[in-house]
Amino acid sequence: MRIGELAAAAGTTPKTLRFYEESGLLPPADRTPSGYRDYAPDAVARIDFVHRGQAAGLTLAQIRQILDIRDDGAAPCEHVRDLLDERLAEIEQQIARLTALHDTIAELRHDAAQPDPDTCSPEQVCRYL
Amino acid sequence: MRIGELAAAAGTTPKTLRFYEESGLLPPADRTPSGYRDYAPDAVARIDFVHRGQAAGLTLAQIRQILDIRDDGAAPCEHVRDLLDERLAEIEQQIARLTALHDTIAELRHDAAQPDPDTCSPEQVCRYL
DNA sequence: CTTGACCTTCCCCTGCACTGGAACGTCAAG
DNA sequence: CTTGACGTTCCAGTGCAGGGGAAGGTCAAG
């Protein structure tokens, strides 16, 4: 498939895919005789993984690091584990932070839900900020 | 207190504080007769809130939006609630995504933990990518 | 009264993740 | 055989969240 099809299938743009290739997230694509990039359908899965990693707050460099582990079949398991443990710890921290912020905002929102001037004064609304 | 002290107390740099002021996250600071910025000690709390928001993945623009609500005592409660609901939904989504990625990586890590060639081949290790 | 630490503004630079646009090549349809 | 959609490379710009460093002012200590 060509780059436009792949981009549509993966929910992104040709520009971005060329950028991913240049960044090492995608292997250099095969080329047709005329120089067009030619992708196997399973490229969609790889791009999806990139998207999932991004949606979860990983940088492209971190996602690339994980993908490199897959691509290099010889990667030592210990290194793999360490890297993944690092990511896990990072993600757990991030979840904890988000949960704390969620609670803060939920309390704030609870106060804002009562349009009584006594309970909805700026001081009341914002005592959590 | 002066900008250097405040920065130290809040765990950031004078540069960043000037940038926050310019971005509207901090109100224009009072000035000493000689032009130095002069902060009240409670400025630390505001900067801490910015940091908490950031740590949770909000952009400075989003954090500013929340702070603006506090600063504008006349903000209608309904608007406040809508805005906070938006943030809550966003944060809940983000937590869900992070949790999913966490599980994916944890499974991956579990596989990588067994240095048996049969269970730790690239195909095995990476069937979740 | 000088020295050094700290402050001011100003402008430009960085890294990240793209995005736009120019200039040119390819290809299937009419 | 032309047209239009799609592809190629290359270079440059965007938005975010700051950081570097120049040129000059301020202030407390020695």
Side-chain angles (χ1 to χ4, degrees):
Chain A
M1 65 199 318
R2 293 190 308 184
I3 197 168
E5 296 174 74
L6 177 59
T12 183
T13 66
K15 276 277 198 203
T16 298
L17 294 185
R18 292 191 199 101
F19 170 72
Y20 283 178
E21 178 175 323
E22 193 190 348
S23 311
L25 288 160
L26 300 177
D30 289 346
R31 300 294 180 123
T32 66
S34 58
Y36 284 19
R37 285 178 180 79
D38 189 20
Y39 295 95
D42 64 359
V44 175
R46 194 177 179 99
I47 299 165
D48 279 349
F49 183 76
V50 174
H51 287 347
R52 286 201 302 279
Q54 269 191 311
L58 299 183
T59 66
L60 292 188
Q62 292 173 328
I63 295 166
R64 185 190 163 165
Q65 220 181 354
I66 296 178
L67 286 170
D68 281 350
I69 288 169
R70 182 190 72 175
D71 297 339
D72 179 5
C77 284
E78 209 161 320
H79 173 66
V80 173
R81 268 192 292 131
D82 290 354
L83 178 62
L84 296 181
D85 281 348
E86 237 176 77
R87 287 294 154 267
L88 282 178
E90 234 172 65
I91 291 169
E92 282 161 18
Q93 255 195 29
Q94 185 70 0
I95 289 175
R97 282 194 290 249
L98 276 172
T99 303
L101 188 77
H102 182 276
D103 292 354
T104 297
I105 294 187
E107 271 189 271
L108 190 57
R109 195 259 182 220
H110 178 72
D111 288 357
Q114 300 158 12
D116 180 320
D118 287 350
T119 63
C120 197
S121 67
E123 301 74 35
Q124 289 293 321
V125 165
C126 295
R127 64 172 176 243
Y128 299 106
L129 291 183
Chain B
M1 65 199 318
R2 292 190 308 183
I3 196 168
E5 297 173 74
L6 177 59
T12 182
T13 67
K15 276 276 196 205
T16 298
L17 294 185
R18 292 190 199 100
F19 170 71
Y20 283 178
E21 179 175 322
E22 192 189 350
S23 312
L25 287 160
L26 300 178
D30 290 345
R31 299 295 180 123
T32 66
S34 59
Y36 284 20
R37 285 179 180 77
D38 189 20
Y39 295 94
D42 65 357
V44 176
R46 194 177 179 97
I47 299 165
D48 278 349
F49 182 76
V50 174
H51 286 345
R52 286 202 301 281
Q54 268 191 312
L58 299 184
T59 67
L60 293 188
Q62 293 174 328
I63 295 166
R64 186 191 162 166
Q65 220 182 352
I66 296 178
L67 286 171
D68 281 350
I69 289 169
R70 183 191 70 176
D71 297 338
D72 179 5
C77 284
E78 209 161 320
H79 174 66
V80 172
R81 270 193 292 129
D82 290 354
L83 178 63
L84 295 180
D85 282 348
E86 234 176 78
R87 287 293 154 267
L88 282 178
E90 232 173 65
I91 291 170
E92 282 161 19
Q93 253 195 30
Q94 185 70 2
I95 290 175
R97 283 194 288 248
L98 277 171
T99 303
L101 189 77
H102 182 277
D103 292 353
T104 297
I105 295 187
E107 270 190 273
L108 191 57
R109 195 259 181 220
H110 178 74
D111 287 357
Q114 300 158 9
D116 179 321
D118 287 350
T119 63
C120 196
S121 67
E123 300 77 36
Q124 289 293 321
V125 165
C126 296
R127 67 173 174 241
Y128 300 105
L129 293 185

